[in-house]
Amino acid sequence: MPSGYHHLTFEKRCQIEALLEKGDSLRSIARALGCHVSTISREVKRNTGQRGYQMKPAQRFATERRRVASSVPRKMTAASLGPDRGDAGLALESGADIRPSPA
């Protein structure tokens, strides 16, 4: 199984649909695709409608979820600034003005 986080590709979704139609278990599908069984389980649960799992709508929904998630602004906190910006981070959290004073 690959290390790290990877999105399912359209090709893998095609394989999932074909293997589900064949009657394979989620565990055997995960083995065949080299993914964790929970990845396959979430994919199937998230994208199964009245007509079962379908790869094309699944890909469309996944692309839309990624687009929406990447457009959401993230809150800036001291933790997100890192340890080298600790003072500025504390000032940000308290709402203090951190602009340099005129010399």
Side-chain angles (χ1 to χ4, degrees):
M1 296 195 198
S3 63
Y5 179 75
H6 303 281
H7 295 285
L8 289 174
T9 63
F10 181 70
E11 290 75 23
K12 286 194 176 188
R13 287 188 172 93
C14 292
Q15 290 177 313
I16 291 170
E17 183 176 331
L19 293 170
L20 283 171
E21 286 176 1
K22 194 176 104 179
D24 285 11
S25 68
L26 297 180
R27 192 169 299 282
S28 67
I29 294 171
R31 253 192 313 271
L33 298 181
C35 300
H36 197 277
V37 68
S38 64
T39 301
I40 303 301
S41 174
R42 280 192 305 271
E43 174 69 14
V44 170
K45 182 177 180 182
R46 184 182 289 145
N47 295 299
T48 298
Q50 292 177 342
R51 297 188 307 186
Y53 181 84
Q54 294 186 323
M55 63 188 163
K56 287 181 182 178
Q59 183 67 33
R60 236 185 0 261
F61 296 145
T63 302
E64 179 64 14
R65 278 191 300 273
R66 282 195 297 275
R67 187 189 66 75
V68 169
S70 67
S71 67
V72 174
R74 305 228 176 353
K75 183 178 178 182
M76 194 181 307
T77 64
S80 68
L81 291 174
D84 57 326
R85 299 286 312 269
D87 293 340
L90 291 175
L92 276 175
E93 286 181 348
S94 68
D97 186 3
I98 59 170
R99 291 178 284 189
S101 57

